[in-house]
Amino acid sequence: MSNELRVIISGGGTGGHIFPAISIANAIRKKRPDAKIQFVGALGRMEMQRVPAAGYDIVGLPIMGFDRKNLLKNIKVLYYIWKSQRMARRIIRLFRPQVAVGVGGYASGPTLNTAAAMGIPCLIQEQNSYAGVTNKLLAKKAAKICVAYDGMERFFPADKIMKTGNPVRQNLIETSMSKDDAIKSFGLDPTKKTILLVGGSLGARTINESVLQHLDMVEQSGIQFIWQTGKYYSEEIARRMKGKELPMLKVTDFISDMGAAYKAADLVISRAGASSVSEFCLIGKPVILVPSPNVAEDHQTKNAMALVEKQAALYIKDADAPATLLATAIATVNDDAKLCSLSENVRKLALPNSAEIIADEVIKLAFEGGI
């Protein structure tokens, strides 16, 4: 295949959108090393740092979400949408893509709307079991819709849907580190059971409070903990932990090598973002899910229940977590039969090679028709 391949990938806002986007780009590059890939994100959002760090160019749009509490503020939002669409048109004219990929998030709206209006075939990737607003609006214009869950026909035209699963961070799957070495890399004891607590890239207040309110239980458990607090909460937690430091509690605001953290853990406590859920399936990791209540349409609870209904994860409601999460986690990590059952069941739900399958669809669309 000698034709040049030019792809725009748009979206972001959270790691749950950004990591799949970068995985898709990497898979395209692996299949077509000559491919030109341009990312389009939202100014001020985390993709503006994460995408360049992964080796790709990104342009930011001044796009933001609607304010449902203060309707007057939406006059400014409408202006930014108009401005973003004009910028998207200029970006597309200059870059001349044959295909546009949207992964959800603010920026994918104006980018894919404009691309579709200019006759460029579009593919959208929906990570969650409950479709996001942007992807629902884009569905009519998309040529292909890649999803991770069954039953997505209630959001999207059935003839466009392809169940591919969610692309995940490759370093999680490919880590060659042994479990003992992974535990030692956190300064912990390989002979002890280990629980990993993560609240996403920014952190999760409820998960953090579940630890802070039960430091005595941590100390007496005989278990060791790796606790990613999130950068947003790190200063407050450092202040509240002063003088209460525990040797079995490794506290960090951010974990750069999540492959090592997952490898070290016998059990994970996590929010139920779609990318995280897909990662647990692929690595077969026992997990207690505490869905965030602060997301659109309570989609994290729906993500969690897709696993819980198949005995592939445990679930604790956010409001109940401070009282019950730590005790449940300690009891679970000490139950080897339960850990084994959770691991076996979650692995059955894995959809491997998602990024490669989506990359194939992107390449196919690019050469079936473009500008």
Side-chain angles (χ1 to χ4, degrees), residues 197-208 227-234 237 253-254 271 292 294:
L197 302 105
V198 287
S201 51
L202 296 177
R205 180 177 292 279
T206 302
I207 291 176
N208 291 340
W227 178 20
Q228 179 183 280
T229 63
K231 293 191 175 182
Y232 186 78
Y233 300 105
S234 60
I237 287 168
D253 63 342
F254 180 73
R271 289 304 201 189
S292 171
N294 308 311

Side-chain angles (χ1 to χ4, degrees), residues 97-117:
Q98 295 121 307
V99 60
V101 178
V103 295
Y106 301 141
S108 64
T111 306
L112 267 76
N113 264 322
T114 303

Side-chain angles (χ1 to χ4, degrees), residues 292-348:
S292 171
N294 308 311
V295 294
E297 309 292 348
D298 196 25
H299 69 252
Q300 285 204 6
T301 297
K302 296 174 178 72
N303 292 347
M305 297 314 295
L307 270 63
V308 172
E309 287 162 4
K310 294 181 169 66
Q311 289 77 53
L314 301 181
Y315 159 69
I316 290 182
K317 190 175 179 181
D318 186 82
D320 298 335
T324 65
L325 177 58
L326 215 59
T328 301
I330 291 166
T332 303
V333 84
N334 283 319
D335 186 341
D336 288 340
K338 185 66 175 177
L339 291 178
C340 185
S341 170
L342 287 170
S343 180
E344 286 177 3
N345 290 340
V346 78
R347 205 180 287 275
K348 290 173 188 172

Side-chain angles (χ1 to χ4, degrees), residues 2-157:
S2 59
N3 302 30
E4 187 176 55
L5 175 61
R6 305 177 72 86
V7 183
I8 270 186
I9 301 177
S10 186
T14 67
H17 293 311
I18 298 162
F19 297 136
I22 292 170
S23 294
I24 293 167
N26 290 343
I28 293 169
R29 276 267 170 89
K30 200 169 182 180
K31 292 171 184 293
R32 289 290 304 270
D34 63 322
K36 304 288 191 299
I37 299 173
Q38 175 68 61
F39 277 79
V40 180
L43 287 171
R45 307 292 287 188
M46 63 191 293
E47 60 264 27
M48 300 308 293
Q49 284 78 45
R50 295 290 173 87
V51 169
Y56 296 97
D57 291 330
I58 186 166
V59 180
L61 302 180
I63 189 77
M64 60 178 66
F66 281 101
D67 190 323
R68 296 178 186 181
K69 294 178 182 175
N70 189 336
L71 296 179
L72 284 175
K73 287 186 178 178
N74 290 325
I75 295 169
K76 185 192 286 188
V77 174
L78 289 169
Y79 168 72
Y80 282 133
I81 290 172
W82 172 80
K83 188 175 179 181
S84 294
Q85 285 177 329
R86 288 194 60 172
M87 285 180 66
R89 180 172 289 274
R90 196 178 316 125
I91 292 162
I92 291 166
R93 278 183 175 155
L94 287 170
F95 185 71
R96 296 177 294 106
Q98 295 121 307
V99 60
V101 178
V103 295
Y106 301 141
S108 64
T111 306
L112 267 76
N113 264 322
T114 303
M118 295 171 73
I120 298 162
C122 298
L123 177 147
I124 58 176
Q125 197 256 328
E126 174 55 59
Q127 298 93 27
N128 291 290
S129 58
Y130 196 98
V133 173
T134 303
N135 277 348
K136 282 192 280 190
L137 292 171
L138 292 171
K140 289 179 183 176
K141 299 173 182 180
K144 185 73 68 175
I145 303 168
C146 297
V147 303
Y149 293 89
D150 293 324
M152 299 303 285
E153 298 83 5
R154 66 194 194 278
F155 305 112
F156 303 131

